[in-house]
Amino acid sequence: MDKKGAVKPLPVWGRGLVFLISLVFFIVLLEGGLILAGRYIFDRPTIGAPDADNPGTRRILCLGDSYTHGGLVDDDETYPAYLQKTLDEKYGPGAFRVFNQGVCETNTTELITYLPGVLEKYRPDLVILLVGSANLFNPWEFDKHRKNDWKSRLKSWFYDRRVVQMVRLMSMSFMETPDVDENLQEEYNLGETYTRLNYLKANHSNCSFDPPDYRKMYASSPEPGDVSAPEFWKYVKENRYEDALEAGKAFLDDPDAKDPEHRVLFKMIGLAMDQEDLVEAAKWVNSTLPGGQRLSTEQLKSCASEYFRFLGDHRMYNGQYDQAAEVYLKGVKAKPISEDNYYWLSKVFDRQSRIDAQTVVDTLKKLQREALDSIDPKPSPFLEPYIRIFEDKLTWERQVKDWIEDDLDTIIRMIHRKSQAPLVLQTYPIEYPLANSALKAAAKEHKLPLVDHLPVFDALSPKNKYFLDDDHCTPLGHQVMVETLYETLVKERVIAQ
């Protein structure tokens, strides 16, 4: 029998409710304390060179597109490579390891797709980001970037809580640091998550006869010392297609010819395909191949597509934008499932005046209809998004602005959630208004260090010392990027001196 006035013990459900309320109150109090501490007490995280009490190489991951990958320069002439050299000079070899995760022509949504695997693989101590310029020309997975369902919002909100981040950080401290020897840029080893590259790989057909040396194969004129096919190369340069074909055939029939055969054959196939009669071109090309070799229809299309791509590049680099646009459009017609000619056509389009947007749209829609009407319908996934681009470019630019801003927010939060590594943003060294404004806004909103390359490069002259003809940096340009980058890293105390 209970004593008079004694408090009855709470039932089990009541004790559970009190515990739950207390736990929620404690978490809310801890969350508020972590927010205040982060805002008013703790400085921005700083990484420094390892010492006796703090061993281990510091890993720096450079994320982005072709500006990070290097574009047309060699691997050791990219800004990540020069950053590695600078850090080796300042702190000694082995103190830092810089990884180049630049993927040419990648847009922000593609980066989001493969980012979790890259962060897990490298577990970086610092992430440097430069992305967004390709979105205007590469619409792959544009419709995927808006994930506004309540599950995604709830998940994002949960992982952004300071308490959750603290628990994840504590758990990561017990994980073994990976020993990373490989560089992802070498083979784009991104698994099934990188849908565009996997699609292109699955639909690739090789048009080469030997393992290609691209710098030689795609040369617009013979290499120094090449004298074996002077007439052929002369006619190619002058756009005298019929004469070039005849000179090339005569060259291939010459048993003493010393010029690399596959380079001449590649050009000849492109020239033959330019006649836009695939059946006759196939007969002609296969009649010229040495040793009884034969190329399939898909190989011929690949040869033509690649030929138009690099002929278009040659025109573009020489300021012949009208001709470049026409050549890229021919490349799209030669092989609609390939990407390069779409990308470069959209990039050069605003600089030319020979073909209008409706002509491009009509061409793409015709290719789409032909694919759908075929016996085995397989329309190129590039047709629909590029039709959208050329149908209304002003609307497309407004959409791209929102796209980059939304994705940058997702990328920043994802890096913070999954790695806890400090993040540094960069602007492009050339005027890309949509990308640069979004990068600046993201840095300001998330209170991140920003390396602003544009004003530095605006003051440099002559421009051809720092930029290649396609707007990418020369090796000297990459060195200037690193000077500004390293100065900012030290000034913002991201890297301790």
Side-chain angles (χ1 to χ4, degrees):
M1 181 172 163
D2 293 339
K3 294 182 180 180
K4 188 176 181 179
V7 179
K8 293 182 179 180
L10 289 172
V12 174
W13 67 266
R15 291 196 296 272
L17 181 61
V18 170
F19 173 78
L20 183 61
I21 293 173
S22 301
L23 179 62
V24 170
F25 177 77
F26 172 75
I27 291 175
V28 170
L29 190 65
L30 180 59
E31 176 77 11
L34 290 172
I35 292 174
L36 291 174
R39 183 168 297 177
Y40 299 109
I41 300 176
F42 297 120
D43 290 331
R44 179 179 290 136
T46 299
I47 64 171
D51 52 38
D53 299 322
N54 192 20
T57 300
R58 301 293 183 259
R59 299 176 305 284
I60 299 177
L61 181 61
C62 298
L63 294 171
D65 49 34
S66 55
Y67 279 83
T68 300
H69 176 271
L72 298 177
V73 303
D74 294 333
D75 291 348
D76 60 353
E77 296 173 330
T78 63
Y79 92 75
Y82 286 127
L83 178 60
Q84 181 72 71
K85 294 175 185 177
T86 299
L87 295 173
D88 287 347
E89 293 172 359
K90 301 288 185 181
Y91 302 94
F96 291 91
R97 177 83 184 276
V98 181
F99 296 98
N100 185 339
Q101 181 46 62
V103 180
C104 290
E105 300 167 13
T106 195
N107 63 41
T108 51
T109 301
E110 291 179 294
L111 175 57
I112 289 172
T113 303
Y114 66 77
L115 182 57
V118 172
L119 293 174
E120 176 63 27
K121 185 180 187 70
Y122 286 102
R123 297 185 202 163
D125 298 293
L126 171 65
V127 177
I128 300 172
L129 178 67
L130 178 59
V131 73
S133 70
N135 287 49
L136 189 61
F137 313 110
N138 174 14
W140 186 267
E141 294 190 325
F142 163 73
D143 293 324
K144 184 180 176 181
H145 84 280
R146 295 183 183 276
K147 291 186 176 180
N148 292 321
D149 58 284
W150 67 270
K151 290 182 180 180
S152 298
R153 291 198 300 271
L154 180 61
K155 183 179 179 180
S156 179
W157 177 88
F158 175 78
Y159 281 112
D160 282 341
R161 299 309 93 200
R162 300 299 199 282
V163 174
V164 177
Q165 293 170 11
M166 181 183 70
V167 173
R168 287 176 61 86
L169 184 62
M170 293 173 63
S171 64
M172 287 174 65
S173 65
F174 294 102
M175 297 173 67
E176 183 180 353
T177 300
D179 181 19
V180 181
D181 293 324
E182 65 273 30
N183 187 333
L184 282 188
Q185 87 165 32
E186 293 176 358
E187 296 184 6
Y188 295 155
N189 182 23
L190 307 173
E192 292 303 316
T193 57
Y194 203 110
T195 55
R196 178 172 60 95
L197 287 185
N198 282 302
Y199 170 83
L200 293 173
K201 183 178 179 181
N203 288 277
H204 174 72
S205 56
N206 189 5
C207 85
S208 301
F209 314 98
D210 301 302
D213 178 350
Y214 287 102
R215 291 182 181 275
K216 291 181 178 179
M217 183 183 289
Y218 301 142
S220 58
S221 60
E223 298 291 311
D226 279 354
V227 294
S228 303
E231 285 189 340
F232 172 77
W233 292 112
K234 174 177 177 290
Y235 294 143
V236 168
K237 204 167 186 181
E238 295 173 355
N239 292 330
R240 295 167 59 181
Y241 288 179
E242 295 297 336
D243 292 335
L245 289 170
E246 291 304 315
K249 191 173 185 305
F251 160 72
L252 291 175
D253 291 337
D254 180 2
D256 297 323
K258 296 183 174 60
D259 196 58
E261 284 189 347
H262 70 267
R263 185 154 65 94
V264 174
L265 282 169
F266 177 81
K267 288 288 188 183
M268 292 172 69
I269 290 170
L271 293 172
M273 296 295 287
D274 194 27
Q275 312 308 306
E276 299 188 359
D277 185 341
L278 181 60
V279 175
E280 289 303 313
K283 290 180 181 178
W284 185 91
V285 169
N286 283 327
S287 71
T288 67
L289 296 180
Q293 295 186 69
R294 292 293 180 268
L295 294 181
S296 68
T297 301
E298 287 305 313
Q299 285 178 305
L300 287 168
K301 289 180 179 179
S302 294
C303 286
S305 175
E306 293 183 26
Y307 166 72
F308 290 130
R309 156 68 202 281
F310 287 93
L311 180 60
D313 289 355
H314 176 64
R315 301 288 188 236
M316 181 178 65
Y317 296 157
N318 285 281
Q320 299 170 320
Y321 302 119
D322 288 352
Q323 296 94 321
E326 287 185 331
V327 170
Y328 289 135
L329 190 57
K330 288 181 179 179
V332 168
K333 289 191 288 185
K335 191 176 182 183
I337 64 172
S338 184
E339 176 204 24
D340 284 343
N341 285 292
Y342 293 93
Y343 181 88
W344 289 99
L345 173 61
S346 64
K347 194 164 186 178
V348 79
F349 185 82
D350 290 335
R351 299 185 184 184
Q352 62 86 44
S353 58
R354 185 169 293 181
I355 56 176
D356 57 24
Q358 191 58 49
T359 299
V360 178
V361 171
D362 291 343
T363 301
L364 300 186
K365 285 185 175 179
K366 180 182 177 183
L367 293 170
Q368 193 175 48
R369 288 193 301 271
E370 290 173 353
L372 291 171
D373 292 341
S374 63
I375 297 175
D376 185 17
K378 289 182 180 178
S380 165
F382 298 106
L383 285 168
E384 185 63 40
Y386 278 98
I387 288 172
R388 177 190 299 163
I389 289 178
F390 286 101
E391 277 186 323
D392 190 346
K393 291 182 73 67
L394 290 178
T395 299
W396 171 246
E397 289 184 4
R398 289 195 295 270
Q399 291 174 331
V400 168
K401 179 178 181 295
D402 294 338
W403 180 18
I404 298 174
E405 290 175 351
D406 290 349
D407 276 3
L408 282 177
D409 184 73
T410 301
I411 291 167
I412 291 168
R413 294 178 186 278
M414 185 179 292
I415 291 173
H416 191 56
R417 289 199 307 265
K418 293 187 175 296
S419 76
Q420 297 292 329
L423 173 62
V424 174
L425 301 186
Q426 304 181 87
T427 63
Y428 287 89
I430 200 160
E431 192 60 60
Y432 283 128
L434 295 177
N436 281 344
S437 62
L439 288 161
K440 289 180 180 179
K444 182 177 181 181
E445 178 183 352
H446 292 272
K447 297 180 175 59
L448 297 172
L450 176 72
V451 184
D452 196 358
H453 292 295
L454 187 58
V456 175
F457 278 80
D458 280 346
L460 298 177
S461 182
K463 297 301 180 185
N464 60 6
K465 286 180 60 178
Y466 305 96
F467 292 107
L468 298 166
D469 290 334
D470 68 339
D471 297 342
H472 287 92
C473 285
T474 63
L476 182 58
H478 281 278
Q479 291 182 49
V480 174
M481 285 183 68
V482 167
E483 291 172 5
T484 310
L485 172 59
Y486 180 74
E487 179 182 325
T488 303
L489 293 178
V490 172
K491 180 181 178 181
E492 296 287 341
R493 293 185 294 174
V494 178
I495 289 182
Q497 281 188 301

